Amino acid sequence: MSDMTRMEDKFAELNQPAPWAGVNAFRTDPLLVDMASSLPRAMKDEFDAIGRYVTSHEAQELARMANQNAPQLRTHGVRGERLDAVEFHPAWHALMRRSMSVGLHCSIWEGQQGTRGQEHKARAIRFFLTAQLESGHLCPLTMTSASVAALAASPHVQREWAPKILSRKYDSTTKPPMQKSAITLGMGMTEKQGGTDVKANTSRAERVGEGIYRLSGHKWFMSAPMSDAFVMLAQTTEGMGCFLVPRLLEDGSHNGLYLQRLKDKIGNRSNASSEVEFDGTMAYLLGEAGHGIRTILDMVTLTRLDCALASAGIMRASMAEAVHHTRGRKVFGKNLVDQPLMTRVLADMALDVAAATALVFRLAESFDKARDNPADAAYARVMTPVVKYWVCKMAPALIYEAMECIGGSGYVEERPIARHYREAPVNAIWEGSGNVMALDVLRVISRGRDLFESVFAGLERDLGPSGKKTVEVLRAAVALCERDEGASRLLVEQLALAAAAAELYRIGAGKIADAFTETRLAGGWRHTYGVLDGRFDARYVIDLLYPPAT
C-alpha cells in the first residue's frame, strides 16, 4: 500500500473527503459534453485535455500562488526614472502561457479548420473550463480577444496589430509591441467623475496627424496595466473618440502612461487593475472621431459574453466541489448527499447552474450565427445584457450556498471555492452593472422592438405548451417598461428565466427543463435554495448533472 493510499484511508476514517481534484471537468459535465458533440474530434480531445488540466494538482497550485502573491507596482527605478511596471508572480505567467497556447485570446478570429460557424462556441467551452481553475488571468485574454472588434473600425490599424494578437506564443517581455512574439490588449473607459457614464469623460485627444492623436487625462479603472496597448475613450473636437494606445513607443520609450496605484480588490487578485494618468500620450484613432462609444461597444459586447461564461464556470466548479464533498462525508448515519434537506438544496442549485450553462452557450451560438441569420442576430442583441445580468448576479449567492453545503471547512482559503466566492461579484460589476444591463434592454425596446418579437417567437416554440402564456407575460413586461423604466429589472429577470427554460428544452434536457420551468416560471417567490418541490426527483437531478465517480 502506498503512502498516499494510507493517507487517504486515514482521512476517510476521519470522515474527511479527499479534495475535489484529479477529475476531468469536461467529461464529468454531461451538458458540456453534449454541447460539444457537433465539434470535430480533435477539438473534443483538446477539451478533454483542458478538463484534466484545470483540476490537476499542478494547475490548482498555480492558481493558488497567483492569487496569494498579488501583482506589485514599481513606479520608479533606482535613478528615479519612471518605470510604471507591474511585476507578476511566475504562476501568473504560467497560467497566461497555457491559456494563450489554447487560443483563449484569439481563436474566434483565426478561422480554424472544422470550427467555421462555431468559433464562439468552441472558445466558450475552453473559456468555461478554464474559469473553473482561475479567472483573474482571463481578464487580459478577454480584452485581447474582444479588442479585434474595435480595431476592425480602422482596417489599417487592424492589419498592423492583428498578427501579433493572433499569435499563441505568450511573451511577457517589456518590448515595443511589434518586437514581441505576441501581445495582449487592455481597456480604459471609466473616469473618476463619470464611472459608467462615459459620456462624462473629460480626457482629451488632440489631433497631430492623420489618425494620430495625443491624449491627456486619466482613467479610474484600467485592468491588466502590463498589456502592450489599451483601447481608450477620449474627447475630440468632433465628440467622443476611441483610441488604441501603446504602452511603449516603437523605440522602446515610455508613452506617458503613469500608473498611480493598483486597486486593492476584494477578488480577482491575481490580475492587476490600476489607476492611470497620461499627458501627451500617442494614440491611434479607431473608427470615426465622434463615434468612439459605438466603436468600443463592439468590443464590450464580446466582453459581456465572457463575464457570463466565467460566472457559469465558477458556479459549475463550486457546485462540483460541494457535491463531491457531500458524497464523501457522513452525517447522522448517512452520506450528507442522502440527507433529504441537503439533497433538495443541491438539486435546486444544480438546476440554476444547468440553466446558466445552457443559456451562456446559446448566447455564444447566436454570436456564431448572427451574421447569416436575422433571428440569431436579434437573439444576440436582446439577450447579451439579459444573460450577463442574470448569470453574473446569480453567482455570489449560489457559490455561498455551495460553501455552506461544505460547512466550516468550506470557509477556508485553502479550498478553490474560496477563490471562486471572492471572484463572483466582479463579473456583475465589470462591463456594465445590473442597472446598466437593464438600461441596455430598454434601449433595444426603444430602437428595435421588433427584435423582441423575433426572440419571443423562438421562446414560444421551444417552451412548448407553456410558451404562449409565458410570452404573453413577457410582452406585458415590455409594455410596462415603456411606461416605467424602473420596472426594467422585472423584464430582464423574467426574460432570462424564460430563455433559460426554453434552452433546456431545446437541447433535450427533459426532466431538468421540467423542474426548472415549474419552479422558476410557475413557482412562488423564492429567497433561498432548497425549496424544490417534492414532486421532482432531487437525487436524479444531482446524479444526472454531477455523475458519481466510477
Side-chain angles (χ1 to χ4, degrees):
M1 182 183 293
S2 69
D3 289 343
M4 182 63 71
T5 302
R6 278 192 289 268
M7 184 175 70
E8 289 303 325
D9 287 346
K10 179 181 178 181
F11 279 112
E13 291 174 7
L14 295 172
N15 199 20
Q16 289 288 332
W20 184 73
V23 300
N24 190 320
F26 174 63
R27 288 294 168 192
T28 56
D29 188 338
L31 274 182
L32 200 59
V33 171
D34 186 63
M35 286 184 282
S37 62
S38 63
L39 292 165
R41 174 62 183 271
M43 191 150 290
K44 285 182 276 192
D45 289 343
E46 182 185 339
F47 302 153
D48 201 66
I50 297 172
R52 291 194 303 272
Y53 171 74
V54 298
T55 68
S56 67
H57 177 73
E58 171 200 358
Q60 291 292 329
E61 279 296 288
L62 290 175
R64 180 188 64 80
M65 289 187 290
N67 281 270
Q68 287 188 353
N69 298 277
Q72 300 295 314
L73 173 62
R74 295 181 63 205
T75 57
H76 293 80
V78 67
R79 298 171 298 175
E81 75 277 18
R82 293 290 310 202
L83 295 179
D84 295 284
V86 180
E87 294 179 343
F88 291 84
H89 190 271
W92 163 273
H93 295 297
L95 291 167
M96 288 287 289
R97 188 174 300 110
R98 172 82 185 207
S99 290
M100 286 187 72
S101 73
V102 299
L104 291 187
H105 67 300
C106 67
S107 62
I108 61 174
W109 309 105
E110 289 176 330
Q112 285 181 297
Q113 186 71 26
T115 64
R116 194 168 301 277
Q118 299 187 90
E119 293 91 348
H120 283 280
K121 180 179 180 180
R123 177 184 175 274
I125 295 174
R126 298 187 190 101
F127 196 92
F128 177 84
L129 287 168
T130 307
Q132 298 181 42
L133 170 63
E134 204 284 324
S135 293
H137 80 290
L138 294 179
C139 178
L141 302 179
T142 283
M143 292 188 293
T144 302
S145 177
S147 70
V148 179
L151 266 59
S154 290
H156 62 288
V157 176
Q158 185 186 40
R159 282 193 297 271
E160 181 180 4
W161 288 76
K164 296 295 182 180
I165 294 173
L166 296 181
S167 170
R168 295 190 178 197
K169 297 179 180 179
Y170 176 59
D171 187 345
S172 63
T173 59
T174 303
K175 297 178 183 176
M178 296 305 131
Q179 295 179 26
K180 298 182 68 168
S181 60
I183 61 174
T184 59
L185 271 66
M187 181 166 56
M189 292 180 66
T190 59
E191 298 180 5
K192 294 177 183 178
Q193 73 288 341
T196 297
D197 183 9
V198 294
K199 291 182 179 179
N201 284 6
T202 59
S203 294
R204 308 299 303 181
E206 179 184 355
R207 187 177 184 274
V208 295
E210 186 62 36
I212 308 296
Y213 286 71
R214 293 281 184 184
L215 272 54
S216 299
H218 82 281
K219 294 298 170 186
W220 181 231
F221 222 107
M222 189 175 78
S223 279
M226 291 308 288
S227 297
D228 298 288
F230 307 90
V231 179
M232 288 190 184
L233 294 176
Q235 299 283 359
T236 71
T237 55
E238 294 92 343
M240 189 69 71
C242 182
F243 299 90
L244 178 66
V245 184
R247 184 165 59 86
L248 299 178
L249 297 174
E250 293 178 5
D251 61 1
S253 61
H254 197 283
N255 192 23
L257 292 167
Y258 303 112
L259 302 179
Q260 303 302 297
R261 65 171 180 166
L262 300 184
K263 301 286 193 182
D264 187 9
K265 295 173 293 184
I266 293 170
N268 198 253
R269 298 190 69 84
S270 67
N271 174 43
S273 299
S274 67
E275 297 169 22
V276 62
E277 295 180 0
F278 40 91
D279 185 25
T281 299
M282 192 275 290
Y284 303 103
L285 178 66
L286 300 176
E288 299 177 44
H291 298 283
I293 294 177
R294 183 175 66 189
T295 299
I296 207 167
L297 280 178
D298 290 338
M299 177 179 179
V300 169
T301 296
L302 294 172
T303 63
R304 288 173 177 172
L305 169 61
D306 278 8
C307 285
L309 282 166
S311 290
I314 62 176
M315 283 193 286
R316 173 71 197 187
S318 300
M319 268 298 296
E321 189 174 354
V323 171
H324 169 80
H325 179 86
T326 58
R327 281 188 174 132
R329 186 166 175 81
K330 291 187 182 299
V331 176
F332 306 129
K334 290 183 180 180
N335 284 338
L336 188 52
V337 72
D338 294 322
Q339 294 288 356
L341 276 170
M342 182 60 74
T343 309
R344 295 277 183 94
V345 169
L346 289 170
D348 210 6
M349 296 162 66
L351 292 177
D352 271 355
V353 177
T357 302
L359 195 54
V360 294
F361 282 98
R362 173 66 183 95
L363 183 61
E365 181 181 298
S366 74
F367 280 34
D368 281 324
K369 298 177 178 179
R371 180 174 297 180
D372 301 318
N373 187 321
D376 281 294
Y379 193 96
R381 178 63 189 96
V382 171
M383 294 304 298
T384 296
V386 172
V387 174
K388 201 268 190 187
Y389 174 101
W390 183 66
V391 175
C392 296
K393 278 195 172 298
M394 188 198 310
L398 187 137
I399 295 171
Y400 154 71
E401 193 74 55
M403 187 181 290
E404 186 176 312
C405 291
I406 297 171
S409 67
Y411 192 61
V412 294
E413 288 290 346
E414 287 85 355
R415 286 189 181 274
I417 199 169
R419 186 168 63 249
H420 300 326
Y421 184 62
R422 282 187 278 102
E423 186 74 25
V426 75
N427 289 317
I429 297 170
W430 283 359
E431 309 306 329
S433 63
N435 283 348
V436 173
M437 295 300 96
L439 289 171
D440 196 25
V441 172
L442 289 178
R443 191 174 297 113
V444 182
I445 292 174
S446 65
R447 299 179 183 178
R449 176 70 180 270
D450 58 314
L451 299 180
F452 277 90
E453 290 305 318
S454 175
V455 172
F456 291 167
L459 299 186
E460 184 171 347
R461 179 192 65 237
D462 294 333
L463 284 170
S466 65
K468 184 176 181 180
K469 183 177 179 180
T470 300
V471 167
E472 287 175 357
V473 171
L474 292 173
R475 286 197 179 103
V478 170
L480 175 61
C481 289
E482 290 176 319
R483 303 189 303 273
D484 176 14
E485 73 171 40
S488 55
R489 281 191 174 215
L490 175 64
L491 168 63
V492 173
E493 294 207 13
Q494 288 298 311
L495 182 51
L497 293 170
E503 184 58 17
L504 287 171
Y505 280 119
R506 191 179 78 94
I507 64 176
K511 293 181 180 179
I512 303 300
D514 289 340
F516 182 85
T517 300
E518 292 192 37
T519 54
R520 272 61 173 177
L521 289 180
W525 184 257
R526 299 151 46 85
H527 289 282
T528 58
Y529 289 101
V531 295
L532 189 67
D533 194 288
R535 292 178 294 121
F536 303 106
D537 187 340
R539 190 55 188 266
Y540 168 84
V541 171
I542 298 169
D543 291 343
L544 179 67
L545 296 172
Y546 297 84
T550 55

